[in-house]
Amino acid sequence: MRVRGWGPGAVWALAGVVLLVGCREAPPDAAGGTAAVASPVRPSGYGAVFLDVGECSSFGRTSFTEVSCRSERAAARVVARHDGTTRDGPPCPPTTDFVLHISEQWPAADEDGDGMVPRGHACMRSLQPPHPGDPGGGGGPRTVVGDCVYALDGGRVRETACDGSGPRTPEFKVTKAVDARSGCPASTALYVRLGGASPVGCAVPV
């Protein structure tokens, strides 16, 4: 995860992106013709929406499928699903481990016959630890209270695990989320943009 400055000592959080596609087709009616009303279903039978809330994906970030959450191939569960890009919709839950962006044209995976898989994104939570989206976990698409960062060149910072298990030693820790910088304590050395109802994170040296 990357963070960039948005003022003196302040940072922005950036989320990585992953591309995927899903398969879905509408069945014919019993007479072999076109039914007046038909609910689209996926051949796999996991649901009418590819990677809907509560459904699971297999291992991999660039090539994977929707699978039963009881399958030994299941790696992560959808905790939130939104149309459009991450900039268009609400943010993922704070403990999201990674985000899958669904935006590929793929007629074979079309839901309604229009030649397009609808653009959207799924907020994913791994079924097993480690969870980089947890506070101090060193990753995830959002920076939250309890996360740690280290400085890069050009006034940028990047998130890293607070316990020192990551490739870099943590230098600052976000200890509080407030409405404005004026709400941060005097010990604050870095302001971090968190988003949400309390968009400013107050970070102190560690």
Side-chain angles (χ1 to χ4, degrees), residues 76-157:
R77 188 187 304 271
V78 181
V79 294
R81 176 75 152 78
H82 305 295
D83 294 333
T85 67
T86 53
R87 290 177 294 182
D88 298 332
C92 284
T95 55
T96 298
D97 288 328
F98 60 96
V99 178
L100 301 180
H101 293 264
I102 306 164
S103 58
E104 179 82 354
Q105 279 195 345
W106 201 274
D110 190 13
E111 298 178 348
D112 53 14
D114 66 355
M116 174 71 75
V117 174
R119 177 185 292 270
H121 60 279
C123 308
M124 308 298 295
R125 173 82 172 171
S126 299
L127 296 180
Q128 301 292 334
H131 293 290
D134 283 350
R142 295 184 58 183
T143 302
V144 299
V145 172
D147 279 341
C148 293
V149 298
Y150 64 91
L152 296 171
D153 293 337
R156 298 175 299 133
V157 299

Side-chain angles (χ1 to χ4, degrees), residues 165-189:
S165 61
R168 294 291 297 269
T169 301
E171 297 176 354
F172 303 92
K173 184 174 184 177
V174 181
T175 58
K176 188 176 182 180
V178 296
D179 295 336
R181 296 185 192 183
S182 58
C184 287
S187 58
T188 299

